[in-house]
Amino acid sequence: MTPIEKYNNEIMNGFQQAKGKGYCFCINPITPYKLVALTAINVCNKDKERTCFIVTPYYDISNKIKFEIEKIAPNNDFKINFTGKQYINPKFNYNYDCIITIGINGDEKDDIEKLRKLNSCSKFTLFIFTESSLSAEINEFLIRHSSFIKTS
């Protein structure tokens, strides 16, 4: 097993142990694309009616995740939707079985509101941060509403 595969397995196992409310850090040189794809596929494989919503900071990241999903599960009929973080509106509801965010690190002042809203809309949420330093407000939110997923 490669170190990347071990990392992905630890995150997925930790997400299950956290009862589907967790967060982790995925910092260079590790990229989150395969991790997100594996998590979304795992959620959708449990029940074909399950829906997954993936929020990314950039369109090219969404495409890389879609490529990984297609590579792992070709010709799937999973209900996985993508959007950019700039399109998340805290006034709207996002009713999905699982929501995965990547790179909503607190760079913008409304990031915390987006995280709060997405967390409240789904039973399962996985926040993947791509920077090691987060704002105090985001740290406080995570401590109250999510579990840190430890890796070795």
Side-chain angles (χ1 to χ4, degrees):
M1 181 180 293
T2 69
I4 300 288
E5 290 171 332
K6 182 180 177 194
Y7 174 82
N8 288 340
N9 285 338
E10 287 176 350
I11 295 296
M12 290 183 20
N13 289 335
F15 185 56
Q16 288 178 336
Q17 290 171 355
K19 297 184 176 39
K21 291 282 187 182
Y23 70 97
C24 64
F25 293 90
C26 193
I27 301 168
N28 279 336
I30 299 172
T31 60
Y33 316 128
K34 189 166 188 174
L35 170 63
V36 173
L38 289 169
T39 304
I41 289 168
N42 190 34
V43 167
C44 293
N45 270 337
K46 292 185 189 272
D47 180 354
K48 293 294 182 194
E49 296 303 311
R50 282 195 176 170
T51 57
C52 192
F53 189 49
I54 300 172
V55 183
T56 66
Y58 308 108
Y59 181 73
D60 66 319
I61 293 175
S62 296
N63 282 339
K64 290 175 182 176
I65 296 167
K66 288 176 189 176
F67 174 77
E68 287 293 335
I69 290 170
E70 198 57 38
K71 196 165 77 173
I72 296 166
N75 303 318
N76 68 72
D77 59 348
F78 298 139
K79 296 176 181 175
I80 302 173
N81 293 322
F82 292 81
T83 195
K85 75 174 187 173
Q86 68 272 23
Y87 299 112
I88 298 297
N89 185 334
K91 295 177 184 174
F92 296 159
N93 281 323
Y94 302 91
N95 296 317
Y96 291 87
D97 295 306
C98 180
I99 296 177
I100 303 170
T101 70
I102 302 124
I104 302 182
N105 299 315
D107 306 338
E108 298 170 21
K109 68 177 186 173
D110 64 343
D111 280 358
I112 185 66
E113 293 308 316
K114 292 175 182 181
L115 292 175
R116 283 186 180 128
K117 183 59 176 185
L118 293 169
N119 188 61
S120 71
C121 289
S122 180
K123 183 176 179 185
F124 305 112
T125 51
L126 175 61
F127 302 116
I128 300 173
F129 297 100
T130 55
E131 295 177 10
S132 59
S133 62
L134 303 173
S135 71
E137 196 173 22
I138 289 179
N139 278 324
E140 183 180 328
F141 163 76
L142 292 171
I143 289 167
R144 291 179 179 214
H145 300 285
S146 197
S147 297
F148 177 61
I149 301 171
K150 296 177 184 168
T151 59
S152 54

